[in-house]
Amino acid sequence: MSATVTGSTMVRIEQLDKSFGPHQVLFDIDLEVAAGETVCLIGPSGSGKSTLLRCINHLEDINYGSITVDDELIGYRLEKGRLHELREKEACSKRVEIGMVFQHFNLFPHMTAVENVSFAPMKVKGEDRASARAYARELLARVGLSGKEDFYPSQLSGGQQQRVAIARALAMRPKLMLFDEPTSALDPELVGEVLAVMKDLALTGGITMIVVTHEMGFAREVGDRVIFMDAGRIVEQGPPEQVLGEPEHERTRAFLSAVLR
């Protein structure tokens, strides 16, 4: 569990609805995440977990409700009691302090590991090349990739590429890290090395983390809170030992019995 959970709220979601055309995928989501907390989202495919994560980062717009990160609206401004979507450039400026790691690594294939990690701080934040590269090397060492700084993605294993992607997100010095099933595209023998990096972040990083995962062992060991979603709704939430060990809802019990067989 995280060592640095505080009383302040980092993420506040209120009455969130999200639809794709006529198909509603999120229903009346209310959620608060404390600064420094690690929250694990679990549930069947299609339950809305990844969509919720993408709404937090305003990679998807919302139909109703609001999302604030560190008391700032994400993707919208409030004017005369109504929310108005920000222009893309404005939305990007709000997104700077939110890091996201996807299922697929999305590294630039023509850039080395250190170039991938240092690119955004230089491009978006205007950091000079020397300091951005130095910090990138620190982060690559932190995720266990010392000596791989000048390797291209094609020269790295899937687990190594995902660790570069984590370092890349950290390079922007985010307040909030979002992980969207970061191990689902990896061969089973590579999963552990990525989960170890995420565990270290949760225990020592002081970063708020929301993790969509099918790794129940990780959720049990590292999560401060586990949230079970189904059909676009939060069905159950609580400490890992309660949700994973003694779930209250039949739907949660059915899901866990299937994934833990």
Side-chain angles (χ1 to χ4, degrees):
M1 296 174 66
S2 300
T4 52
V5 178
T6 73
S8 61
T9 300
M10 178 58 68
V11 180
R12 179 177 286 108
I13 302 172
E14 297 180 313
Q15 297 182 305
L16 175 65
D17 290 343
K18 168 63 183 173
S19 298
F20 293 106
H23 178 52
Q24 188 167 349
V25 293
L26 294 175
F27 298 82
D28 198 26
I29 301 291
D30 288 309
L31 177 64
E32 290 191 6
V33 179
E37 187 177 15
T38 297
V39 171
C40 293
L41 300 180
I42 66 170
S45 297
S47 59
K49 308 181 301 297
S50 294
T51 299
L52 177 57
L53 222 59
R54 291 175 65 85
C55 288
I56 294 171
N57 209 15
H58 198 61
L59 295 175
E60 300 287 353
D61 60 6
I62 62 177
N63 297 98
Y64 188 80
S66 65
I67 301 172
T68 60
V69 174
D70 202 17
D71 292 326
E72 287 198 24
L73 278 169
I74 295 299
Y76 298 85
R77 71 180 186 279
L78 185 64
E79 190 175 295
K80 297 180 180 179
R82 297 187 64 181
L83 292 179
H84 299 268
E85 190 168 8
L86 296 178
R87 297 174 186 268
E88 181 60 24
K89 186 175 182 180
E90 294 175 285
C92 286
S93 70
K94 298 278 189 180
R95 197 182 289 142
V96 165
E97 293 183 323
I98 305 174
M100 188 158 183
V101 178
F102 299 87
Q103 297 177 27
H104 300 285
F105 326 123
N106 299 329
L107 300 178
F108 294 115
H110 62 289
M111 292 184 181
T112 64
V114 74
E115 289 170 341
N116 265 284
V117 175
S118 60
F119 177 76
M122 291 190 292
K123 179 76 171 178
V124 178
K125 301 180 79 173
E127 293 186 18
D128 66 88
R129 185 175 186 273
S131 61
R133 287 283 186 103
Y135 189 47
R137 290 180 182 276
E138 286 181 31
L139 290 172
L140 289 168
R142 181 176 181 180
V143 299
L145 291 175
S146 293
K148 303 288 187 182
E149 297 91 344
D150 297 320
F151 282 49
Y152 289 91
S154 62
Q155 298 172 301
L156 300 172
S157 70
Q160 290 170 333
Q161 290 184 61
Q162 191 62 294
R163 286 185 278 156
V164 173
I166 293 172
R168 178 181 58 184
L170 291 172
M172 297 295 283
R173 296 175 170 85
K175 297 177 180 178
L176 171 66
M177 284 284 286
L178 308 175
F179 294 85
D180 187 6
E181 299 189 38
T183 61
S184 65
L186 299 177
D187 292 333
E189 66 269 21
L190 302 177
V191 168
E193 64 190 55
V194 173
L195 293 180
V197 169
M198 294 170 60
K199 179 180 177 181
D200 177 69
L201 282 178
L203 294 177
T204 65
I207 299 174
T208 310
M209 294 170 52
I210 304 177
V211 184
V212 173
T213 185
H214 289 296
E215 301 290 339
M216 297 301 124
F218 174 85
R220 184 185 299 275
E221 184 178 3
V222 179
D224 295 298
R225 186 163 31 130
V226 172
I227 295 174
F228 173 68
M229 291 184 65
D230 186 44
R233 293 179 168 85
I234 293 176
V235 175
E236 184 167 1
Q237 60 179 305
E241 58 272 19
Q242 182 258 303
V243 175
L244 300 178
E246 298 180 6
E248 296 179 358
H249 291 264
E250 175 56 35
R251 184 66 189 93
T252 315
R253 290 194 291 270
F255 170 78
L256 291 172
S257 68
V259 300
L260 295 176
R261 284 188 300 197

